[in-house]
Amino acid sequence: MFSENQWIKIKAPATVANMVCGFDILGFAVNSPYDEMEMKWTTRAENEARITIINIDNYNLPTDPEKNVAGAALIAFLEEYEEKQKSSSPKIKFEVKINKLIKPGSGVGSSAASSAGAVVGANYLVGNIFSKDDLVRFAMNGEKLASGVKHADNIAPCIFGGVTLVRSIFPLEIIALPSPTLHVTIVHPQIEVRTSDARSILRQQVLLKDAIKQWGNIAGLVAGLMKSDYDLIGRSLEDVIIEPVRSILIPGFDDLKLACKKAGALGGGISGSGPSIFMLSKTKEIAIAVEKEMKQLYDGIGLPHHTYVTSINQTGVEIIE
Ligand code: HSE
Protein backbone atom coordinates (compact mmCIF):
# COMPACT_ATOMS: atom_id res chain seq x y z
CA MET A 1 0.00 0.00 0.00
CA PHE A 2 1.11 3.56 -0.69
CA SER A 3 1.33 5.74 2.48
CA GLU A 4 -2.03 6.69 3.97
CA ASN A 5 -3.13 10.33 3.55
CA GLN A 6 -0.43 11.12 0.95
CA TRP A 7 -1.61 12.66 -2.31
CA ILE A 8 -0.38 11.30 -5.62
CA LYS A 9 -0.66 13.20 -8.91
CA ILE A 10 -2.09 11.54 -12.01
CA LYS A 11 -1.86 12.50 -15.68
CA ALA A 12 -4.59 10.93 -17.84
CA PRO A 13 -4.23 11.43 -21.62
CA ALA A 14 -6.90 12.26 -24.16
CA THR A 15 -7.68 9.49 -26.64
CA VAL A 16 -8.99 9.17 -30.18
CA ALA A 17 -11.47 6.32 -30.43
CA ASN A 18 -12.52 4.38 -33.57
CA MET A 19 -9.45 5.45 -35.57
CA VAL A 20 -11.85 5.99 -38.48
CA CYS A 21 -12.76 2.42 -39.52
CA GLY A 22 -12.58 0.61 -36.14
CA PHE A 23 -15.85 1.70 -34.52
CA ASP A 24 -15.77 0.70 -30.82
CA ILE A 25 -12.60 -1.42 -31.24
CA LEU A 26 -9.61 0.78 -32.17
CA GLY A 27 -8.17 3.81 -30.39
CA PHE A 28 -4.98 5.61 -29.48
CA ALA A 29 -3.73 7.94 -26.74
CA VAL A 30 -2.24 11.38 -27.43
CA ASN A 31 0.29 13.46 -25.52
CA SER A 32 -1.95 16.51 -25.29
CA PRO A 33 -4.42 17.42 -23.96
CA TYR A 34 -4.54 15.47 -20.68
CA ASP A 35 -6.41 15.67 -17.38
CA GLU A 36 -4.71 16.23 -14.05
CA MET A 37 -5.93 14.46 -10.95
CA GLU A 38 -4.83 13.99 -7.35
CA MET A 39 -5.77 11.07 -5.17
CA LYS A 40 -5.20 9.70 -1.68
CA TRP A 41 -6.57 6.93 0.50
CA THR A 42 -7.44 7.00 4.19
CA THR A 43 -8.96 4.54 6.64
CA ARG A 44 -12.75 4.67 6.58
CA ALA A 45 -15.05 4.63 9.62
CA GLU A 46 -18.18 2.46 9.35
CA ASN A 47 -20.64 5.19 8.23
CA GLU A 48 -18.25 7.24 6.15
CA ALA A 49 -18.51 7.73 2.36
CA ARG A 50 -16.16 5.53 0.33
CA ILE A 51 -15.44 8.11 -2.36
CA THR A 52 -15.15 11.90 -2.24
CA ILE A 53 -14.86 13.84 -5.49
CA ILE A 54 -13.61 17.41 -5.61
CA ASN A 55 -13.72 19.34 -8.90
CA ILE A 56 -10.85 21.75 -9.44
CA ASP A 57 -12.10 22.93 -12.85
CA ASN A 58 -15.17 25.01 -13.73
CA TYR A 59 -17.18 22.36 -15.58
CA ASN A 60 -19.46 21.76 -12.62
CA LEU A 61 -19.57 18.00 -13.17
CA PRO A 62 -21.49 15.99 -10.54
CA THR A 63 -19.59 15.16 -7.35
CA ASP A 64 -21.99 12.37 -6.33
CA PRO A 65 -19.84 9.27 -7.04
CA GLU A 66 -22.79 7.45 -8.60
CA LYS A 67 -23.29 10.28 -11.11
CA ASN A 68 -19.63 11.00 -11.81
CA VAL A 69 -17.70 8.82 -14.29
CA ALA A 70 -14.61 8.64 -12.05
CA GLY A 71 -16.91 7.76 -9.16
CA ALA A 72 -18.67 5.00 -11.13
CA ALA A 73 -15.29 3.50 -12.03
CA LEU A 74 -14.10 3.69 -8.42
CA ILE A 75 -17.29 2.06 -7.10
CA ALA A 76 -16.54 -0.96 -9.34
CA PHE A 77 -12.90 -0.90 -8.22
CA LEU A 78 -13.78 -0.82 -4.51
CA GLU A 79 -16.35 -3.61 -4.83
CA GLU A 80 -13.69 -6.03 -6.10
CA TYR A 81 -11.02 -4.61 -3.82
CA GLU A 82 -13.17 -5.19 -0.72
CA GLU A 83 -14.03 -8.70 -1.90
CA LYS A 84 -10.30 -9.46 -2.12
CA GLN A 85 -9.55 -8.09 1.37
CA LYS A 86 -9.79 -10.15 4.55
CA SER A 87 -12.76 -9.10 6.69
CA SER A 88 -10.29 -8.03 9.42
CA SER A 89 -8.50 -5.55 7.09
CA PRO A 90 -9.23 -1.85 7.64
CA LYS A 91 -11.77 -0.37 5.22
CA ILE A 92 -10.49 2.41 2.97
CA LYS A 93 -11.87 5.48 1.23
CA PHE A 94 -10.55 7.54 -1.65
CA GLU A 95 -10.46 11.30 -2.15
CA VAL A 96 -10.07 12.44 -5.76
CA LYS A 97 -9.40 15.96 -7.02
CA ILE A 98 -10.13 16.34 -10.73
CA ASN A 99 -8.82 19.14 -12.94
CA LYS A 100 -10.30 18.55 -16.36
CA LEU A 101 -8.11 19.99 -19.09
CA ILE A 102 -9.90 17.83 -21.68
CA LYS A 103 -13.21 19.57 -22.31
CA PRO A 104 -16.18 17.27 -21.61
CA GLY A 105 -18.07 16.37 -24.78
CA SER A 106 -15.16 17.19 -27.10
CA GLY A 107 -14.84 13.68 -28.55
CA VAL A 108 -11.31 13.06 -27.35
CA GLY A 109 -12.07 10.76 -24.44
CA SER A 110 -12.74 13.24 -21.65
CA SER A 111 -14.90 10.80 -19.65
CA ALA A 112 -12.45 7.95 -20.29
CA ALA A 113 -9.57 10.04 -18.91
CA SER A 114 -11.47 10.62 -15.64
CA SER A 115 -12.50 6.97 -15.26
CA ALA A 116 -9.14 5.53 -16.30
CA GLY A 117 -7.14 8.06 -14.27
CA ALA A 118 -9.18 7.27 -11.15
CA VAL A 119 -8.76 3.48 -11.31
CA VAL A 120 -5.06 3.58 -12.24
CA GLY A 121 -4.54 5.99 -9.30
CA ALA A 122 -6.56 3.78 -6.93
CA ASN A 123 -4.61 0.70 -8.00
CA TYR A 124 -1.31 2.48 -7.37
CA LEU A 125 -2.49 3.51 -3.88
CA VAL A 126 -3.42 -0.07 -2.92
CA GLY A 127 -0.16 -1.57 -4.23
CA ASN A 128 -0.99 -2.36 -7.88
CA ILE A 129 -2.94 -5.54 -7.14
CA PHE A 130 -5.11 -5.38 -10.29
CA SER A 131 -4.05 -5.99 -13.90
CA LYS A 132 -4.54 -3.41 -16.67
CA ASP A 133 -7.38 -5.54 -18.05
CA ASP A 134 -9.09 -5.39 -14.62
CA LEU A 135 -8.69 -1.61 -14.62
CA VAL A 136 -10.29 -1.36 -18.06
CA ARG A 137 -13.21 -3.44 -16.78
CA PHE A 138 -13.73 -1.07 -13.81
CA ALA A 139 -13.31 2.08 -15.90
CA MET A 140 -15.90 0.92 -18.47
CA ASN A 141 -18.54 1.61 -15.79
CA GLY A 142 -17.70 5.29 -16.24
CA GLU A 143 -18.26 4.98 -20.01
CA LYS A 144 -21.57 3.25 -19.37
CA LEU A 145 -22.64 6.19 -17.21
CA ALA A 146 -21.50 8.71 -19.85
CA SER A 147 -22.85 7.10 -23.02
CA GLY A 148 -25.18 4.32 -21.92
CA VAL A 149 -22.90 1.59 -23.30
CA LYS A 150 -19.78 -0.17 -22.03
CA HIS A 151 -17.18 0.48 -24.72
CA ALA A 152 -13.41 0.35 -24.20
CA ASP A 153 -11.94 2.03 -27.27
CA ASN A 154 -11.05 5.18 -25.27
CA ILE A 155 -10.40 3.47 -21.91
CA ALA A 156 -7.97 0.85 -23.29
CA PRO A 157 -5.52 3.28 -24.97
CA CYS A 158 -5.84 5.65 -22.00
CA ILE A 159 -4.66 2.87 -19.66
CA PHE A 160 -2.28 0.97 -21.96
CA GLY A 161 -0.94 3.94 -24.00
CA GLY A 162 -0.24 3.64 -27.74
CA VAL A 163 -2.75 2.13 -30.16
CA THR A 164 -5.05 -0.58 -28.84
CA LEU A 165 -7.44 -3.06 -30.37
CA VAL A 166 -10.38 -4.24 -28.29
CA ARG A 167 -10.93 -7.66 -29.86
CA SER A 168 -13.71 -8.46 -27.42
CA ILE A 169 -15.47 -6.79 -24.49
CA PHE A 170 -17.12 -9.88 -22.98
CA PRO A 171 -14.72 -11.54 -22.22
CA LEU A 172 -12.33 -8.61 -22.32
CA GLU A 173 -9.41 -8.98 -24.71
CA ILE A 174 -7.21 -6.00 -25.46
CA ILE A 175 -4.28 -6.11 -27.84
CA ALA A 176 -1.64 -3.37 -27.68
CA LEU A 177 -0.54 -2.61 -31.26
CA PRO A 178 2.84 -1.23 -32.28
CA SER A 179 2.84 1.89 -34.43
CA PRO A 180 5.37 3.92 -36.39
CA THR A 181 5.90 7.59 -35.40
CA LEU A 182 2.65 9.37 -36.18
CA HIS A 183 1.86 13.04 -35.66
CA VAL A 184 -1.69 13.92 -34.77
CA THR A 185 -3.62 17.12 -35.49
CA ILE A 186 -6.95 17.58 -33.76
CA VAL A 187 -9.52 20.31 -34.24
CA HIS A 188 -12.33 20.75 -31.77
CA PRO A 189 -15.10 22.92 -33.23
CA GLN A 190 -16.99 24.46 -30.33
CA ILE A 191 -20.31 22.69 -30.84
CA GLU A 192 -21.83 20.00 -28.68
CA VAL A 193 -22.35 16.43 -29.89
CA ARG A 194 -23.42 14.06 -27.12
CA THR A 195 -22.04 10.53 -27.49
CA SER A 196 -25.47 9.08 -26.67
CA ASP A 197 -27.04 11.14 -29.51
CA ALA A 198 -24.22 10.29 -31.95
CA ARG A 199 -24.86 6.62 -31.16
CA SER A 200 -28.63 6.79 -31.38
CA ILE A 201 -28.57 8.03 -35.00
CA LEU A 202 -26.56 5.02 -36.23
CA ARG A 203 -28.23 2.39 -38.37
CA GLN A 204 -28.50 -1.01 -36.70
CA GLN A 205 -27.99 -2.93 -39.94
CA VAL A 206 -25.16 -2.74 -42.46
CA LEU A 207 -24.95 -3.93 -46.04
CA LEU A 208 -22.64 -6.86 -46.66
CA LYS A 209 -20.73 -4.90 -49.33
CA ASP A 210 -20.05 -2.11 -46.77
CA ALA A 211 -19.04 -4.64 -44.11
CA ILE A 212 -16.53 -6.18 -46.51
CA LYS A 213 -14.98 -2.76 -47.22
CA GLN A 214 -14.89 -1.96 -43.53
CA TRP A 215 -13.17 -5.14 -42.36
CA GLY A 216 -10.73 -4.83 -45.26
CA ASN A 217 -9.85 -1.37 -43.97
CA ILE A 218 -9.55 -2.47 -40.34
CA ALA A 219 -7.26 -5.35 -41.27
CA GLY A 220 -5.30 -3.02 -43.60
CA LEU A 221 -4.90 -0.44 -40.84
CA VAL A 222 -3.67 -3.00 -38.30
CA ALA A 223 -1.25 -4.46 -40.88
CA GLY A 224 -0.08 -0.95 -41.83
CA LEU A 225 0.62 -0.10 -38.19
CA MET A 226 2.51 -3.35 -37.62
CA LYS A 227 4.55 -2.99 -40.84
CA SER A 228 5.11 0.78 -40.42
CA ASP A 229 3.61 1.14 -43.89
CA TYR A 230 2.40 4.76 -43.97
CA ASP A 231 0.69 4.47 -47.36
CA LEU A 232 -1.26 1.43 -46.27
CA ILE A 233 -2.26 3.27 -43.07
CA GLY A 234 -3.45 6.22 -45.17
CA ARG A 235 -5.45 4.05 -47.60
CA SER A 236 -7.10 2.18 -44.74
CA LEU A 237 -8.31 5.31 -42.91
CA GLU A 238 -11.73 5.04 -44.55
CA ASP A 239 -15.09 4.49 -42.88
CA VAL A 240 -18.08 3.57 -45.03
CA ILE A 241 -20.45 2.78 -42.16
CA ILE A 242 -20.35 5.33 -39.32
CA GLU A 243 -18.80 8.47 -40.83
CA PRO A 244 -21.42 9.03 -43.57
CA VAL A 245 -24.10 9.18 -40.86
CA ARG A 246 -22.26 11.12 -38.17
CA SER A 247 -20.39 13.62 -40.34
CA ILE A 248 -23.59 15.56 -41.02
CA LEU A 249 -23.43 16.71 -37.38
CA ILE A 250 -20.05 18.40 -37.97
CA PRO A 251 -19.99 21.63 -40.04
CA GLY A 252 -17.51 21.63 -42.93
CA PHE A 253 -16.45 18.00 -42.36
CA ASP A 254 -15.96 16.91 -45.99
CA ASP A 255 -14.17 20.12 -47.05
CA LEU A 256 -11.92 19.98 -44.02
CA LYS A 257 -10.93 16.37 -44.68
CA LEU A 258 -10.14 17.16 -48.30
CA ALA A 259 -8.05 20.23 -47.41
CA CYS A 260 -6.06 18.28 -44.77
CA LYS A 261 -5.30 15.48 -47.22
CA LYS A 262 -4.18 18.05 -49.79
CA ALA A 263 -1.83 19.46 -47.14
CA GLY A 264 -0.26 16.00 -46.87
CA ALA A 265 -2.14 14.22 -44.07
CA LEU A 266 -2.24 10.42 -44.37
CA GLY A 267 -5.93 10.55 -43.49
CA GLY A 268 -8.25 10.90 -40.54
CA GLY A 269 -11.86 11.42 -39.59
CA ILE A 270 -14.18 11.95 -36.66
CA SER A 271 -12.48 11.53 -33.28
CA GLY A 272 -14.69 9.18 -31.24
CA SER A 273 -18.27 10.36 -31.57
CA GLY A 274 -17.15 13.92 -32.46
CA PRO A 275 -17.32 16.83 -32.82
CA SER A 276 -13.48 16.78 -32.86
CA ILE A 277 -11.77 15.71 -36.09
CA PHE A 278 -8.27 14.21 -36.15
CA MET A 279 -5.69 13.73 -38.88
CA LEU A 280 -2.55 11.59 -38.88
CA SER A 281 0.66 12.79 -40.56
CA LYS A 282 4.09 11.38 -41.13
CA THR A 283 5.98 14.48 -39.96
CA LYS A 284 5.43 17.32 -37.52
CA GLU A 285 5.75 19.83 -40.36
CA ILE A 286 2.82 18.24 -42.18
CA ALA A 287 0.82 18.09 -38.93
CA ILE A 288 1.35 21.86 -38.52
CA ALA A 289 0.35 22.51 -42.15
CA VAL A 290 -2.80 20.44 -41.48
CA GLU A 291 -3.56 22.56 -38.41
CA LYS A 292 -3.34 25.68 -40.59
CA GLU A 293 -5.94 24.23 -42.99
CA MET A 294 -8.26 23.38 -40.10
CA LYS A 295 -8.00 26.90 -38.66
CA GLN A 296 -8.49 28.50 -42.03
CA LEU A 297 -11.63 26.50 -42.72
CA TYR A 298 -13.28 27.17 -39.37
CA ASP A 299 -12.18 30.82 -39.27
CA GLY A 300 -13.73 31.09 -42.75
CA ILE A 301 -17.15 29.97 -41.52
CA GLY A 302 -16.79 31.78 -38.19
CA LEU A 303 -16.87 28.66 -36.03
CA PRO A 304 -14.79 28.98 -32.82
CA HIS A 305 -12.43 26.03 -32.37
CA HIS A 306 -9.34 24.72 -30.57
CA THR A 307 -6.55 22.80 -32.25
CA TYR A 308 -3.81 20.49 -30.98
CA VAL A 309 -0.70 19.28 -32.76
CA THR A 310 0.50 16.30 -30.81
CA SER A 311 1.73 12.72 -31.14
CA ILE A 312 0.78 9.25 -29.97
CA ASN A 313 1.27 8.83 -26.23
CA GLN A 314 2.95 5.49 -25.52
CA THR A 315 2.64 5.44 -21.70
CA GLY A 316 -1.05 5.87 -20.91
CA VAL A 317 -2.08 7.15 -17.47
CA GLU A 318 0.97 8.23 -15.47
CA ILE A 319 1.43 8.51 -11.72
CA ILE A 320 3.60 11.31 -10.42
CA GLU A 321 4.23 11.01 -6.64
N1 HSE B 1 -16.65 4.27 -30.02
C1 HSE B 1 -17.39 5.30 -29.35
C2 HSE B 1 -18.34 5.94 -30.35
C3 HSE B 1 -16.46 6.31 -28.79
O1 HSE B 1 -17.90 6.26 -31.45
O2 HSE B 1 -19.52 6.10 -30.02
C4 HSE B 1 -17.15 7.39 -28.02
O3 HSE B 1 -16.19 8.27 -27.49
Side-chain angles (χ1 to χ4, degrees):
M1 290 286 270
F2 189 71
S3 320
E4 180 166 6
N5 221 3
Q6 291 285 312
W7 291 97
I8 54 164
K9 288 197 167 117
I10 303 160
K11 251 177 91 170
T15 45
V16 171
N18 301 337
M19 231 175 153
V20 184
C21 49
F23 180 67
D24 275 0
I25 62 168
L26 288 172
F28 62 87
V30 290
N31 283 310
S32 72
Y34 54 83
D35 278 354
E36 293 172 343
M37 301 168 82
E38 286 184 53
M39 250 180 114
K40 69 173 184 180
W41 75 271
T42 42
T43 307
R44 175 169 66 88
E46 204 50 52
N47 304 324
E48 258 187 313
R50 298 194 300 170
I51 299 159
T52 306
I53 291 169
I54 305 152
N55 292 323
I56 308 291
D57 50 63
N58 294 320
Y59 291 117
N60 242 335
L61 295 172
T63 50
D64 174 351
E66 291 193 16
K67 296 185 180 135
N68 179 295
V69 295
L74 285 175
I75 290 169
F77 179 99
L78 275 172
E79 257 165 35
E80 278 198 34
Y81 175 75
E82 284 168 5
E83 247 172 52
K84 268 183 189 263
Q85 295 309 104
K86 296 197 181 76
S87 53
S88 56
S89 307
K91 298 273 178 273
I92 65 167
K93 62 177 183 176
F94 291 121
E95 264 175 76
V96 195
K97 292 183 195 167
I98 306 177
N99 183 15
K100 292 211 69 64
L101 302 173
I102 311 170
K103 198 173 176 187
S106 51
V108 287
S110 181
S111 56
S114 297
S115 316
V119 294
V120 173
N123 198 33
Y124 185 85
L125 291 174
V126 302
N128 284 322
I129 59 170
F130 290 109
S131 70
K132 285 187 174 174
D133 282 7
D134 289 332
L135 299 180
V136 171
R137 257 193 315 108
F138 303 143
M140 276 198 298
N141 289 282
E143 292 297 66
K144 172 115 204 269
L145 183 65
S147 71
V149 185
K150 279 190 177 179
H151 59 90
D153 51 340
N154 288 105
I155 295 285
C158 194
I159 289 179
F160 282 73
V163 184
T164 55
L165 163 69
V166 183
R167 197 201 63 80
S168 158
I169 295 257
F170 304 114
L172 190 66
E173 185 175 354
I174 292 157
I175 298 147
L177 296 172
S179 65
T181 304
L182 284 167
H183 297 270
V184 187
T185 317
I186 299 171
V187 62
H188 175 206
Q190 303 292 291
I191 53 167
E192 203 189 334
V193 175
R194 295 162 63 97
T195 300
S196 48
D197 293 340
R199 294 186 80 89
S200 70
I201 59 170
L202 298 176
R203 286 191 288 264
Q204 293 303 309
Q205 261 124 33
V206 296
L207 293 173
L208 183 60
K209 72 173 176 56
D210 290 340
I212 293 167
K213 265 200 179 169
Q214 197 87 353
W215 58 58
N217 281 326
I218 295 168
L221 180 55
V222 171
L225 291 168
M226 298 187 77
K227 292 166 64 161
S228 297
D229 183 335
Y230 288 101
D231 292 336
L232 178 55
I233 292 171
R235 285 198 301 284
S236 307
L237 289 170
E238 180 198 31
D239 172 6
V240 296
I241 295 175
I242 309 295
E243 184 181 289
V245 182
R246 279 185 174 173
S247 59
I248 53 169
L249 302 174
I250 306 173
F253 179 82
D254 292 333
D255 292 342
L256 187 134
K257 213 170 124 178
L258 215 63
C260 293
K261 281 196 177 177
K262 264 199 188 151
L266 296 167
I270 304 170
S271 174
S273 56
S276 287
I277 302 169
F278 81 100
M279 287 285 150
L280 295 179
S281 300
K282 208 169 164 177
T283 66
K284 190 167 178 192
E285 289 67 39
I286 300 175
I288 292 169
V290 166
E291 181 192 33
K292 215 173 126 200
E293 294 296 333
M294 292 169 162
K295 281 180 174 296
Q296 208 167 308
L297 192 133
Y298 280 137
D299 282 341
I301 57 172
L303 182 54
H305 56 277
H306 290 302
T307 53
Y308 302 92
V309 176
T310 182
S311 50
I312 295 190
N313 166 304
Q314 297 293 349
T315 45
V317 177
E318 273 176 88
I319 307 289
I320 310 153
E321 270 179 34

Coordinates of all heavy atoms in Angstrom, one line a residue, residues 17-18 23-24 151 153-154 195 199 246 272-273, ligand 1:
A17 N -10.9 7.6 -30.3 CA -11.5 6.3 -30.4 C -11.9 6.1 -31.9 O -12.0 7.1 -32.7 CB -12.7 6.2 -29.5
N18 N -12.1 4.9 -32.2 CA -12.5 4.4 -33.6 C -11.4 4.4 -34.6 O -11.4 3.5 -35.4 CB -13.7 5.2 -34.1 CG -14.9 5.2 -33.2 OD1 -15.1 4.3 -32.4 ND2 -15.8 6.2 -33.3
F23 N -14.8 1.3 -35.5 CA -15.8 1.7 -34.5 C -15.9 0.8 -33.3 O -16.1 -0.4 -33.4 CB -17.2 1.7 -35.2 CG -18.4 2.1 -34.3 CD1 -18.4 3.4 -33.9 CD2 -19.3 1.2 -34.0 CE1 -19.5 3.8 -33.0 CE2 -20.4 1.6 -33.1 CZ -20.5 2.9 -32.7
D24 N -15.7 1.4 -32.1 CA -15.8 0.7 -30.8 C -14.6 -0.3 -30.6 O -14.6 -1.0 -29.5 CB -17.1 0.0 -30.6 CG -18.2 0.9 -30.1 OD1 -17.9 2.1 -29.9 OD2 -19.3 0.4 -29.9
H151 N -18.1 0.7 -23.6 CA -17.2 0.5 -24.7 C -15.8 0.8 -24.2 O -15.6 1.7 -23.3 CB -17.6 1.3 -25.9 CG -17.7 2.8 -25.7 ND1 -16.6 3.6 -25.8 CD2 -18.7 3.6 -25.3 CE1 -16.9 4.8 -25.5 NE2 -18.2 4.8 -25.2
D153 N -12.9 1.5 -26.3 CA -11.9 2.0 -27.3 C -11.3 3.4 -26.9 O -10.3 3.8 -27.5 CB -12.5 2.1 -28.7 CG -13.9 2.8 -28.8 OD1 -14.5 3.0 -27.7 OD2 -14.2 3.2 -29.9
N154 N -11.8 4.1 -25.9 CA -11.1 5.2 -25.3 C -10.3 4.7 -24.0 O -9.2 5.1 -23.8 CB -12.0 6.3 -24.8 CG -12.6 7.1 -26.0 OD1 -13.7 6.9 -26.4 ND2 -11.8 7.9 -26.7
T195 N -22.3 11.9 -27.0 CA -22.0 10.5 -27.5 C -23.3 9.7 -27.6 O -23.5 9.0 -28.6 CB -21.0 9.8 -26.5 OG1 -19.9 10.6 -26.5 CG2 -20.7 8.4 -27.0
R199 N -24.7 8.1 -31.0 CA -24.9 6.6 -31.2 C -26.3 6.3 -31.6 O -26.5 5.4 -32.3 CB -24.5 5.9 -29.8 CG -23.1 6.0 -29.4 CD -22.8 5.2 -28.2 NE -22.6 3.7 -28.5 CZ -21.5 3.1 -28.8 NH1 -20.4 3.8 -28.9 NH2 -21.5 1.9 -29.0
R246 N -22.6 10.2 -39.2 CA -22.3 11.1 -38.2 C -21.7 12.4 -38.7 O -21.8 13.5 -38.0 CB -21.2 10.5 -37.2 CG -21.8 9.6 -36.2 CD -20.8 9.1 -35.2 NE -21.3 8.4 -34.1 CZ -20.6 7.7 -33.2 NH1 -19.3 7.8 -33.3 NH2 -21.2 7.1 -32.3
G272 N -13.6 9.8 -32.1 CA -14.7 9.2 -31.2 C -16.0 9.5 -31.9 O -16.2 9.3 -33.1
S273 N -16.9 10.0 -31.0 CA -18.3 10.4 -31.6 C -18.4 11.8 -32.0 O -19.4 12.3 -32.2 CB -19.3 10.0 -30.5 OG -19.0 10.7 -29.3
Ligands
HSE1 N1 -16.6 4.3 -30.0 C1 -17.4 5.3 -29.4 C2 -18.3 5.9 -30.3 C3 -16.5 6.3 -28.8 O1 -17.9 6.3 -31.4 O2 -19.5 6.1 -30.0 C4 -17.2 7.4 -28.0 O3 -16.2 8.3 -27.5

